[in-house]
Amino acid sequence: DRRHVPHEQERRFGNITGTHQLVLELQADDIPFRLQGVIDRIDLAADGSGAHIVDYKSGNTKYTDEKIRQGRALQTPLYALALERMGISVRSSRYLLIRKREESGVLEFEGRVAEDETVQDALRQVAGFLKAIQAGQFPAIPIEPTKAGRACRDGCDLAGICRVTRYSLQKK
């Protein structure tokens, strides 16, 4: 007996080129913004209670509520909000670390996604990012600094010119 049944893969939303989707307009604080994306997988609860969002990750980074609240893992809360805006009841969202076959950053929604505290924190982070961009600031904020002191992965093509170090991240 399965709790979730796979329903749809690569669900596009927003105004993605080549589709006829409506623009999805959201608001973070007092800043309106448009969101578009592709949800990797949507499962439906076997009991018909709603949808469960799965976002595949090829890396090993574990995502926590804290990272979501800090704006370092925004995909699944925003995807949940987008799906709810499309009229679909969402019960949970999660990241699936493919290599480890492990779930991470699981958010369970009791009521409306739009009223969830973690989703509200994620939207506040989006607002902060939008304000910084409007001010011409584009900070590099990686999820996890490397052991070598660099902020990015060892395989990053721009590691040699990156201005973000572990020390600069600790100062914040």
Side-chain angles (χ1 to χ4, degrees):
D1 180 59
R2 296 176 64 161
R3 294 180 347 172
H4 308 127
V5 178
H7 173 68
E8 191 173 356
Q9 292 182 320
E10 297 187 7
R11 170 69 180 262
R12 296 177 182 278
F13 65 90
N15 191 18
I16 297 176
T17 305
T19 69
H20 299 290
Q21 295 285 337
L22 297 175
V23 172
L24 183 64
E25 295 188 2
L26 299 173
Q27 190 153 331
D29 286 344
D30 291 331
I31 303 174
F33 68 99
R34 293 179 177 167
L35 183 66
Q36 66 181 26
V38 180
I39 300 171
D40 289 338
R41 190 175 95 204
I42 301 170
D43 293 348
L44 295 180
D47 65 3
S49 64
H52 300 270
I53 294 171
V54 179
D55 188 66
Y56 296 120
K57 293 296 178 197
S58 60
N60 293 320
T61 300
K62 290 190 178 185
Y63 300 90
T64 62
D65 282 355
E66 181 181 353
K67 286 179 184 171
I68 293 168
R69 289 176 188 272
Q70 293 172 344
R72 296 177 184 269
L74 294 171
Q75 279 178 284
T76 64
L78 293 177
Y79 287 174
L81 189 58
L83 210 52
E84 183 176 82
R85 284 284 178 92
M86 290 185 273
I88 299 170
S89 176
V90 180
R91 300 281 50 103
S92 71
S93 66
R94 67 201 71 235
Y95 297 97
L96 180 61
L97 307 178
I98 297 170
R99 290 182 193 168
K100 294 182 176 184
R101 296 183 182 182
E102 184 178 296
E103 292 182 346
S104 180
V106 177
L107 298 178
E108 301 280 347
F109 304 111
E110 297 284 325
R112 293 189 58 230
V113 171
E115 296 170 359
D116 182 82
E117 278 186 52
T118 303
V119 172
Q120 288 298 314
D121 286 343
L123 282 172
R124 281 189 279 280
Q125 290 297 328
V126 169
F129 294 144
L130 292 172
K131 288 175 186 174
I133 290 167
Q134 288 173 341
Q137 301 169 1
F138 297 87
I141 306 174
I143 291 176
E144 296 288 336
T146 66
K147 292 176 185 169
R150 289 189 304 273
C152 300
R153 294 181 180 166
D154 293 332
C156 178
D157 293 338
L158 302 176
I161 62 170
C162 187
R163 60 184 167 75
V164 180
T165 64
R166 181 183 291 262
Y167 175 74
S168 69
L169 288 173
Q170 290 173 346
K171 291 190 323 187
K172 292 185 177 193

